[in-house]
Amino acid sequence: MKIKCLIIDDEPLAISVIETHLKNFDYIEIVETFTNPLSAYRVLEKEKIDLIFLDINMPQLTGFAFIENLSYKPLIVITTAYREYAVKSFELNILDYLVKPIPFNRFLKTINKVYQHVYHSTSKTDSSLQQEPHIFLRVNKKLIKTNLNDILYIESLKDYIKVITVIGDYVVHKSLTAITEELPQSNFMRIHRSYTISINKIDALEGNTVEISNRKIPIGRNYTKQVKERIFNINEKPEN
């Protein structure tokens, strides 16, 4: 079962950009595209749509009005040239807000959100989505599917990160902050300005370091209390 989506934007070029980005994800199916949002309602009435990429400023009907008139609400990703509508958009419980022109790295973050949402909200009896939670990492020009359970830790390399997994390491042009925000907080935690770790992969704690797969990783001074309270349920006692 693929994730079915619509693209609604009065600019054909904007639709083309999203279509090009989506070609990288074989589990997402573009059912139809529309430059007139009113025409999209007929598809929504006869077919279950999972995801809509939606512009805001359109002559026939604004994106906000379109959302308010939906009989059921798929996941909504706003695509717009205007930043000032972000607050109102999130009040309508959208999944993400993309500002044009949409770079692929930012689009990838959105798709990871889409997949995680669909995976976790779909019944486990649906065998077509019985896959381990994962993200896609852009390594050079290739998208590498990486299971979250395979990630040991992530190291910052200035403008890049190194993702260390049980099957190999990947160097990705992305910040540590950005990748940490994409990962579930229940399993991952930043413990240093240069390191985010998988909590379940910790083998040992020694002083202000954690050990993962025979590698000692420092705990930053500003992260020490949080790490010990979160991972080891230890409340630091104040010094006398």
Side-chain angles (χ1 to χ4, degrees):
M1 174 183 165
K2 292 189 176 184
I3 297 172
K4 295 185 176 183
C5 82
L6 302 180
I7 304 172
I8 305 173
D9 197 306
D10 62 327
E11 299 178 4
L13 180 58
I15 291 176
S16 178
V17 170
I18 296 174
E19 286 179 315
T20 299
H21 286 343
L22 286 175
K23 287 179 182 178
N24 293 283
F25 308 97
D26 58 4
Y27 58 87
I28 297 182
E29 174 190 348
I30 301 173
V31 175
E32 202 163 341
T33 66
F34 299 94
T35 54
N36 183 343
L38 295 172
S39 301
Y41 285 119
R42 61 175 174 79
V43 174
L44 289 162
E45 289 173 358
K46 66 180 182 180
E47 187 166 356
K48 180 70 168 61
I49 298 299
D50 306 298
L51 170 67
I52 300 176
F53 292 93
L54 179 66
D55 189 20
I56 293 178
N57 287 337
M58 295 178 285
Q60 301 90 352
L61 187 72
T62 68
F64 295 138
F66 180 86
I67 293 172
E68 291 169 354
N69 285 283
L70 287 171
S71 57
Y72 70 93
K73 191 173 179 182
L75 298 176
I76 304 290
V77 175
I78 294 295
T79 59
T80 179
Y82 303 94
R83 298 178 181 274
E84 59 264 31
Y85 299 120
V87 173
K88 182 175 180 179
S89 295
F90 284 109
E91 288 176 350
L92 292 173
N93 199 29
I94 66 161
L95 182 70
D96 211 348
Y97 190 95
L98 297 177
V99 179
K100 302 172 185 176
I102 304 169
F104 183 77
N105 282 347
R106 179 63 182 85
F107 190 81
L108 177 58
K109 181 176 179 179
T110 296
I111 297 302
N112 282 332
K113 284 185 180 181
V114 169
Y115 181 85
Q116 292 298 319
H117 188 96
V118 172
Y119 176 84
H120 288 297
S121 63
T122 302
S123 170
K124 292 183 178 180
T125 59
D126 186 350
S127 60
S128 64
L129 286 176
Q130 288 290 309
Q131 301 184 53
E132 290 189 51
H134 64 269
I135 60 174
F136 284 91
L137 300 174
R138 189 170 184 82
V139 182
N140 296 323
K141 295 183 178 181
K142 182 185 294 186
L143 289 171
I144 305 294
K145 178 182 175 182
T146 306
N147 290 336
L148 298 186
N149 193 48
D150 289 342
I151 298 175
L152 298 173
Y153 63 93
I154 304 165
E155 180 180 2
S156 175
L157 303 173
K158 292 186 178 180
D159 294 332
Y160 292 80
I161 55 171
K162 180 187 285 187
V163 182
I164 292 83
T165 78
V166 296
I167 60 175
D169 303 344
Y170 305 110
V171 176
V172 181
H173 187 253
K174 180 175 286 192
S175 70
L176 186 62
T177 297
I179 189 69
T180 302
E181 289 176 353
E182 293 179 31
L183 298 169
Q185 294 182 5
S186 57
N187 298 329
F188 293 88
M189 183 180 189
R190 190 164 183 171
I191 66 167
H192 188 279
R193 62 189 177 91
S194 298
Y195 293 96
T196 290
I197 65 167
S198 171
I199 299 172
N200 296 332
K201 296 297 190 296
I202 295 175
D203 297 317
L205 168 68
E206 182 179 358
N208 284 327
T209 64
V210 296
E211 185 174 317
I212 297 178
S213 191
N214 297 317
R215 169 70 190 274
K216 292 185 182 296
I217 303 170
I219 301 173
R221 180 181 302 176
N222 294 333
Y223 297 85
T224 301
K225 186 175 185 294
Q226 180 185 0
V227 169
K228 291 185 176 181
E229 289 180 348
R230 167 86 185 278
I231 303 175
F232 306 100
N233 197 26
I234 298 175
N235 292 313
E236 287 192 327
K237 297 180 180 179
E239 296 181 359
N240 295 324

